[in-house]
Amino acid sequence: MGYSQRRPQETEATNVTRCRAIVRQHLPSMAALLAAMILISTNCLADPLVVEEHVTLPVTIDGRAEHLEALIVRPATGGRFPIALIVNGASRHPRSMHADDLANLAHDFAHRGWLAASIVWRGYGHSSGVVQDEAGTCTRPDVARYLDARADDLAAALASLRTRPDVDNTTVLGVGTSVGGVSMLDLAARPDRPLTAVINLSGGLYHDARPFAPNPACGPFETALVRQVSAFGAAAVPTLWIYARNDPWFRPELVERMLQGYRAGGGKADFAMLPPFRKDGHTLYRWEASDLTQPRIDGFLAANHLPAMEDSAVFTPLLAVLNARGREDVQRYLRASTEKALAISANDHGVYWAVNTRSLAKAREKALAHCRTSSGRQCHVIAENRNLLATWRDAYQQQGPR
């Protein structure tokens, strides 16, 4: 499933018109425009396959009018798209976190065929309101209060997104990292069952801990977390949990307690404990982790009949003529984050790529520059995202005998 990379290209004027129309439609008032500083992203022009919008979502939370910073990335073709609601974790410096921080996830889900919305909590980034961080103490925890407040933000953001004319309200995927992961589980368990499925990346909540050194006195807090996550299992929606063994905040034994409790409460959870990822396994949301996470995410989506990346069979002819190193490099390229491009050089057997660029034009430029610098030869782009260009054979034949 997912959306083809070979759509008719739209003009820049068409993309600009659409971006402006969507912004106008969701402005509650001119006052909100001034307060929220809604921006039309220049990236609306950058790629004919997906469109970026920097917006603020007008929401109502606890009876108060607020606005939440958001980055929306969606297919450039017309129509209605299922919603992928994406959110990050917590930070000691809330105003430094922005919707762009998860642009890699938003772009990847847009290329799968979703309207992907990376949203920012109250009090974070350019969002209005006060940070919701009351969770009690180590010995007198109030985990439910904290997670419920975060889920309130998510519910409000989703309600705002559902007013858009380009969304399909029948399917909503929640994607959260760290605090965002367990907050999505909270949202999924609400009586109105607002989520179709959840992807939980390194989800959890900690109190008074240092990296890789949990506070032994916080045992009651961890127990409260496990109890709360267990209660979320009643939602019985499909979920995918992905953690790394060297997560400095959520060690494998705590993750196992949460998982067992969630399943015991009726929860459906596919689970992957990844090997140690670099120096900090809590960073699985970054594009550098895509090589590990993408296959599991797409397997989960496909198994639940949700839009996933297109099959890579189109690359089979290329893989058949490459040597072992080249085949491995192309497979890694396919698992990397969009926007991306793949290049080869004349009389050179290497393949070169640029990934996670936010712009297909920039990906082409960087892939070619990398190829020329590394090989010292003329280079050609042979793939854009997951589209193998028709000219790849001509470029490959210029590489000469092997």
Side-chain angles (χ1 to χ4, degrees), residues 32 54 90 96 115 183 190 236 274 296 311 324 336:
H54 285 87
S96 70
L115 183 143
S183 298
R190 297 199 166 188
L274 302 180
R296 292 166 173 83
D311 189 270

Side-chain angles (χ1 to χ4, degrees), residues 270-342:
D270 293 346
F271 176 68
M273 176 61 75
L274 302 180
F277 176 68
R278 299 194 172 186
K279 294 182 178 179
D280 183 350
H282 200 61
T283 59
L284 295 179
Y285 60 91
R286 294 181 178 172
W287 69 266
E288 294 91 341
S290 295
D291 194 41
L292 295 172
T293 58
Q294 292 284 35
R296 292 166 173 83
I297 290 174
D298 282 307
F300 170 77
L301 294 174
N304 288 283
H305 309 289
L306 298 171
M309 285 291 188
E310 289 185 337
D311 189 270
S312 60
V314 66
F315 281 78
T316 300
L318 173 63
L319 294 170
V321 298
L322 293 175
N323 59 25
R325 176 63 182 275
R327 290 194 296 272
E328 180 182 347
D329 285 345
V330 171
Q331 292 290 3
R332 289 185 60 195
Y333 163 83
L334 288 170
R335 294 191 294 269
S337 287
T338 52
E339 308 300 320
K340 57 190 177 184
L342 183 72

Side-chain angles (χ1 to χ4, degrees), residues 64-237:
R64 295 176 58 88
E66 305 280 7
H67 60 261
L68 300 180
E69 177 188 343
L71 169 70
I72 295 175
V73 189
R74 59 171 180 79
T77 55
R80 295 175 179 269
F81 308 100
I83 300 170
L85 182 65
I86 303 171
V87 74
N88 212 329
S91 173
R92 292 187 174 92
H93 307 285
R95 291 300 179 186
S96 70
M97 293 183 70
H98 293 283
D100 277 10
D101 295 344
L102 296 183
N104 61 306
L105 293 177
H107 270 258
D108 284 345
F109 277 97
H111 277 281
R112 292 181 174 106
W114 300 81
L115 183 143
S118 169
I119 67 107
V120 179
W121 309 109
R122 275 179 287 173
Y124 280 66
H126 296 308
S127 294
S128 66
V130 178
V131 175
Q132 307 302 300
D133 60 358
E134 294 296 328
T137 65
C138 275
T139 55
R140 300 187 66 180
D142 194 353
V143 173
R145 179 181 180 184
Y146 184 101
L147 296 181
D148 285 348
R150 298 285 173 143
D152 287 344
D153 286 16
L154 299 176
L158 180 56
S160 183
L161 289 168
R162 280 178 156 158
T163 67
R164 294 175 59 105
D166 54 359
V167 303
D168 172 5
N169 284 316
T170 64
T171 304
V172 182
L173 174 70
V175 183
T177 179
S178 191
V179 165
V182 287
S183 298
M184 285 294 182
L185 297 177
D186 186 321
L187 179 64
R190 297 199 166 188
D192 57 341
R193 297 293 189 263
L195 300 182
T196 308
V198 172
I199 296 176
N200 165 27
L201 296 172
S202 310
L205 179 65
Y206 65 88
H207 192 290
D208 193 26
R210 295 187 178 90
F212 300 105
N215 186 342
C218 283
F221 193 92
E222 291 187 352
T223 298
L225 172 63
V226 171
R227 184 184 309 114
Q228 196 66 27
V229 171
S230 301
F232 296 153
V237 301

